Amino acid sequence: MSSSALIQVLESLGNPRVLIVGDLILDRYVSGDVRRISPEAPIPVLAASTREARLGGAGNVAANLRSMEAEVELCGLVGDDGDGRELLEMMRSMGVETGACLVDPARPTTVKTRMMSGVHQMIRVDWEDAQGLSSELEQQLLDSLPERIAAADAVLLSDYGKGVLTERVLRSAIDECRRQGKPVLVDPKGSDYARYRGATLLTPNRKEAEEALGRPIASFAELPEAAAELKRRAELTASLITLGPDGIFYLEEDGRFERVPTMARAVFDVTGAGDTVIAQLALALAAGRPLSEAVVLANHAAGLVVARRGAASVTREELRGALSGDLEQPRGKVVAGTELDALLSSWRAAGRRVVFTNGCFDVLHAGHVQYLRFAASKGDRLIVGVNDDASVRRLKGETRPVNGIEDRLEVLAALEMVDAVTSFGEDTPLEIIQRVSPNALVKGEDWADKGVVGREWVESHGGEVHLAPLLPGRSTTSILERGKRG
């Protein structure tokens, strides 16, 4: 399909309602620095400085759907504990309906805690009870399914093997969807796909498909038969296999098939890409679009999220920009005005921790790169504010900047640790800091005695201020002086 045709499809989606039934997971991140080895055992000591919570499992799928402006109802399970209440509040804050979620006082909310030093994961601690639902809670869920399915345009079953999708729940949900003529998509777990028989579509990746088939898929030529066998085994309407850097393969109900090549321009982190794919597929099918269109849109969306750190989501505006060519990297990271507001809104809706820093960034050097890596380690998304040419002249003199604002923005946008760049014309960054209202504000350690502009605003809104170490002997001024001396 042409880009203009895909944009028309995107704009026709409306706001369909998707019911998600599946396993809820709270992802916690404890970050800090390792400076010594414990005297108690030969293990590193993490000097923790920040902690944050993100949505995992079915919650991340819900965040992806909300970013695309779908109405979402979520049916999952949490414990009667603070983690469960926090998870449900995160979902409600982004507009997800959680009235169908179950609370089990006999088990903990599933929590995965990752201890991070910089960008490196040191250890993961899981709190979970993966047993199936109690008979009482299972019956409560079964009783509510017909009415909730009737109110939805599509149903998505997100199976992480944590106990919500029992055999009875799966069978009841899929059979009820077929009876009501509603598409039902499954993110499968394990190798027994017969338990999902009758679903519209499963979304295994290549490795998961090979495990279900019990044999490798050695080449693209084997994909049609592999997809057909999965379709037969699970009595699916259609069959699909995600192929990572090789795109998505799908087999339609009438036997037609196609491999859609990846749309990723750069791959930084594949975390959560599968959640993005199934959310986009559910959205398009819920809106009544054919599978061929749904796959192409999902492929474009996945191409955007793998260029970002961590589990990410895509807004309609971002996807429209990618389809029209407006968001091609690296220019796609340069934002201003309402684009900046929309981007920040999508990050917050997905529970992302936003980091802000600012500067002139005139002649980029190793000190800048180290500084930006430090800033990026303090959250999920790094946005850099850049002084425009007029404000640089007021700060540095008439001979600066050496590079104009357009060049400086483009160079910063090309850096992998930077998620967005924007310019500002004021003498201080206070106005743009207030607009962004970041979770973390980063400045160089040379600002320790000067007073960090925006500190009061950030801290009064629950954020943190970090001072980044500087690389000795690196500065734009010294580079320019050396150039003058030849």
Side-chain angles (χ1 to χ4, degrees), residues 175 222 336 486:
D175 288 349
E222 297 180 19

Side-chain angles (χ1 to χ4, degrees), residues 125-163:
V125 180
D126 291 0
W127 294 86
E128 65 178 31
D129 180 348
Q131 297 183 62
L133 295 173
S134 67
S135 56
E136 179 181 351
L137 288 174
E138 183 183 58
Q139 191 59 51
Q140 184 179 331
L141 175 54
L142 292 172
D143 290 343
S144 70
L145 277 177
E147 180 180 354
R148 299 190 186 281
I149 291 172
D153 298 300
V155 176
L156 196 159
L157 305 179
S158 186
D159 194 352
Y160 282 80
K162 306 303 180 188

Side-chain angles (χ1 to χ4, degrees), residues 373-414:
R373 283 199 178 122
F374 174 89
S377 73
K378 299 305 177 184
D380 305 310
R381 301 287 180 266
L382 172 61
I383 181 166
V384 181
V386 185
N387 291 82
D388 68 10
D389 294 347
S391 66
V392 173
R393 282 192 291 273
R394 292 194 298 271
L395 290 169
K396 305 286 187 179
E398 289 301 317
T399 62
R400 300 282 298 276
V402 174
N403 295 300
I405 185 62
E406 294 297 326
D407 287 357
R408 289 183 284 133
L409 291 172
E410 185 162 354
V411 170
L412 284 166

Side-chain angles (χ1 to χ4, degrees), residues 116-290:
M116 309 290 295
S117 177
V119 297
H120 302 291
Q121 186 176 151
M122 299 173 60
I123 191 172
R124 192 180 91 184
V125 180
D126 291 0
W127 294 86
E128 65 178 31
D129 180 348
Q131 297 183 62
L133 295 173
S134 67
S135 56
E136 179 181 351
L137 288 174
E138 183 183 58
Q139 191 59 51
Q140 184 179 331
L141 175 54
L142 292 172
D143 290 343
S144 70
L145 277 177
E147 180 180 354
R148 299 190 186 281
I149 291 172
D153 298 300
V155 176
L156 196 159
L157 305 179
S158 186
D159 194 352
Y160 282 80
K162 306 303 180 188
V164 170
L165 294 174
T166 63
E167 293 292 340
R168 289 185 68 202
V169 170
L170 281 171
R171 191 74 273 124
S172 178
I174 294 172
D175 288 349
E176 187 63 29
C177 285
R178 294 189 70 172
R179 189 184 70 79
Q180 295 191 28
K182 303 291 177 71
V184 53
L185 296 82
V186 183
D187 184 0
K189 183 74 173 178
S191 58
D192 180 16
Y193 286 4
R195 62 198 298 263
Y196 307 118
R197 71 182 185 280
T200 304
L201 192 68
L202 307 186
T203 60
N205 60 35
R206 188 173 190 159
K207 181 181 178 183
E208 292 168 337
E210 290 175 336
E211 291 175 353
L213 293 168
R215 67 172 189 273
I217 303 173
S219 67
F220 291 157
E222 297 180 19
L223 284 168
E225 177 52 35
E229 186 172 340
L230 291 176
K231 183 172 177 287
R232 288 193 298 270
R233 287 189 184 186
E235 301 174 22
L236 306 173
T237 303
S239 188
L240 179 146
I241 302 172
T242 62
L243 305 171
D246 295 316
I248 300 175
F249 179 88
Y250 69 98
L251 172 69
E252 298 199 65
E253 185 175 10
D254 61 6
R256 289 181 296 176
F257 59 84
E258 184 177 356
R259 181 179 70 86
V260 180
T262 182
M263 297 300 172
R265 298 175 179 87
V267 178
F268 182 70
D269 191 343
V270 298
T271 304
D275 291 339
T276 297
V277 168
I278 196 169
Q280 295 286 337
L281 292 171
L283 175 70
L285 295 182
R289 308 305 305 190

